[in-house]
Amino acid sequence: MTVEPSLSRLGLDGRVAIVTGAASGIGKAAAEILAASGARVVACDIDADGVRATVAGFTGSGHRAEAIDIADIAACDALVQRTAKREGRLDILLNIAAVLRRLDVEEVDEAEWDRLMNVNLRSQYFLCRAAGEAMKPRCWGRIVNVSSGAGLVGGFFGATAYAVTKAGIMTLTKSFAKDLGPHGITVNTLSPGAIDTPMQRTGMTKETLEAARSRIPIGRMGLPAECARAAVFLASDLASYVTGHILAADGGFLMR
Ligand SMILES: NC(=O)c1ccc[n+]([C@@H]2O[C@H](COP(=O)([O-])OP(=O)(O)OC[C@H]3O[C@@H](n4cnc5c(N)ncnc54)[C@H](O)[C@@H]3O)[C@@H](O)[C@H]2O)c1
């Protein structure tokens, strides 16, 4: 396919990428940018209709929609193996899917805790492991694990247990970066701030949204594409010497 000049420098043409959480928000925007950059995208989400709609919006061919629950580790392993076999390679994994319910500390029961850990954190560990194995034969790979500013500064607005999962992602990223670096595979964390998606608005009122906005030096929530571009940078040739890094796309939120 013809690649726009500004996107051709990213070196993504012909790359094979798995993107989780591709039915909505940041994952959908990242999948769209990768597809527009010439990558072949395997867009995954538990929302089967949503992820099919994402792929239907791509130009070019060779993309696929996969309905998958990332809490199911066997399904994650099978997805990576199926992709590597069908495409003959796997170059990029964007671990973006997650869940958030805003609950007071007393409201988080064991089932909720387990669900958050399994969807947000455990899935990323096993997808990193499976993707790393699939990338090793070509000695090239890019893994981007999406965390959150809450993982660095703690949860707010009822996101205490969620913040724990996001802190874990930063540590697992660094460990995989050390393990996979000698194989030509970089592993980085993207830490979004307040990005205007369905998740950001979950359980928020006009007042809490305004309180969140007022803490952002840039003075507004980010757009999904503004955050997704940072993930695509980490997945590109431009970031060849960046690994184990935490890149914040947050309008300066962490400075406050
Ligand atoms: N939006 C923000 O302000 C913000 C801030 C910090 C971090 N993040 C992180 O960015 C990432 C994307 O969030 P978003 O705001 O785009 O959210 P979103 O809710 O718009 O999208 C999340 C997607 O993940 C999918 N998903 C949920 N559970 C799944 C499962 N078990 N298996 C497969 N897919 C599943 C959902 O169906 C949805 O399409 C998340 O990791 C989130 O924690 C977002």
Side-chain angles (χ1 to χ4, degrees):
M1 69 178 288
T2 312
V3 177
E4 285 179 45
S6 59
L7 295 175
S8 64
R9 274 181 245 127
L10 297 175
L12 294 166
D13 201 17
R15 299 272 187 219
V16 173
I18 290 177
V19 181
T20 72
S24 175
I26 299 164
K28 180 177 182 190
E32 287 169 349
I33 298 169
L34 284 176
S37 308
R40 293 203 299 278
V41 177
V42 180
C44 313
D45 205 286
I46 198 166
D47 174 357
D49 291 341
V51 78
R52 267 197 297 272
T54 297
V55 172
F58 293 164
T59 49
S61 57
H63 311 293
R64 264 184 316 130
E66 292 263 5
I68 177 177
D69 177 358
I70 55 167
D72 179 347
I73 300 307
C76 291
D77 284 343
L79 168 77
V80 169
Q81 281 161 22
R82 193 163 59 243
T83 301
K85 194 170 173 200
R86 202 176 285 175
E87 306 291 342
R89 60 197 286 173
L90 174 65
D91 303 298
I92 295 164
L93 167 66
L94 303 189
N95 262 328
I96 302 182
V99 283
L100 165 66
R101 277 176 68 210
R102 298 189 190 279
L103 297 171
D104 290 337
V105 169
E106 311 78 52
E107 294 176 301
V108 177
D109 59 16
E110 288 179 41
E112 176 67 11
W113 174 270
D114 288 347
R115 191 175 80 101
L116 280 167
M117 295 298 148
N118 291 345
V119 176
N120 294 7
L121 182 58
R122 190 179 72 155
S123 65
Q124 291 208 8
Y125 180 92
F126 287 99
L127 276 165
C128 279
R129 191 174 79 175
E133 287 308 306
M135 290 168 178
K136 279 179 186 175
R138 296 177 62 86
C139 295
W140 198 98
R142 298 276 189 273
I143 299 176
V144 181
N145 296 324
V146 173
S147 176
S148 167
L152 282 166
V153 301
F156 28 80
F157 304 127
T160 303
Y162 167 87
V164 175
T165 68
K166 294 300 183 178
I169 287 168
M170 296 183 185
T171 303
L172 85 82
T173 298
K174 288 178 184 165
S175 301
F176 274 105
K178 289 177 197 165
D179 285 352
L180 296 176
H183 300 279
I185 301 164
T186 66
V187 191
N188 288 289
T189 296
L190 174 67
S191 175
I195 308 299
D196 194 2
T197 69
M199 179 184 289
Q200 174 58 223
R201 290 178 179 272
T202 298
M204 297 285 269
T205 62
K206 209 174 151 203
E207 289 71 34
T208 53
L209 280 169
E210 176 51 27
R213 191 207 57 76
S214 70
R215 293 182 200 178
I216 305 168
I218 281 186
R220 61 174 175 82
M221 282 203 273
L223 299 172
E226 290 180 295
C227 187
R229 279 184 223 135
V232 172
F233 161 70
L234 291 171
S236 76
D237 277 352
L238 299 181
S240 55
Y241 204 58
V242 181
T243 198
H245 182 65
I246 300 168
L247 176 61
D250 66 354
F253 170 79
L254 285 176
M255 290 189 293
R256 286 267 164 93

